[in-house]
Amino acid sequence: QVQLVESGGGLVQPGGSLRLSCAASGSIFSIAAMGWYRQGPGKERRLVASITRDGNTKYADSVKGRFTISRDNAKNTVYLQMNSLKSEDTDVYSCNADVMGFTGWGAHWGQGTQVTVSS
């Protein structure tokens, strides 16, 4: 069984920063792509940023230049450094990982962490 646990969300003022972390644990042989998604009430889940095992990254246009995704393969952890936060960044952020476990490859999700940008 694979678990993804996020941390680092919270309330921050516009212009501030937050760093989200997501650690994968359990029966893991390998992790391919990892990513962060966001979802607001009544809205579809959207990609924020993703990173391959080799470090290739992809970002949503709305966060380019402000957010940075990184990962530590030895710790099975992905990070999202969020700078210059705006009120429109407010959402629930969830991490995703493509994991090779005992039963083969599968996509796994964290429980989500709330990010609120407000003065």
Side-chain angles (χ1 to χ4, degrees), residues 34-93:
M34 303 183 82
W36 288 96
Y37 290 73
R38 61 183 292 180
Q39 187 171 23
K43 297 183 179 179
E44 292 187 355
R45 185 179 286 165
R46 296 178 287 160
L47 175 70
V48 177
S50 64
I51 184 168
T52 66
R53 186 171 183 82
D54 294 335
N56 294 312
T57 59
K58 181 188 299 183
Y59 294 94
D61 288 342
S62 61
V63 306
K64 286 180 180 177
R66 300 189 297 123
F67 292 8
T68 302
I69 189 170
S70 61
R71 63 189 284 175
D72 185 332
N73 291 330
K75 295 181 179 179
N76 291 333
T77 299
V78 62
Y79 307 95
L80 186 67
Q81 179 67 44
M82 312 167 71
N83 298 329
S84 302
L85 282 160
K86 306 175 182 179
S87 58
E88 52 262 43
D89 294 320
T90 296
D91 255 337
V92 175
Y93 286 72

Side-chain angles (χ1 to χ4, degrees), residues 2-21:
V2 176
Q3 290 185 324
L4 273 62
V5 178
E6 298 120 337
S7 61
L11 172 65
V12 64
Q13 293 185 341
S17 298
L18 283 174
R19 188 189 193 213
L20 306 183
S21 300

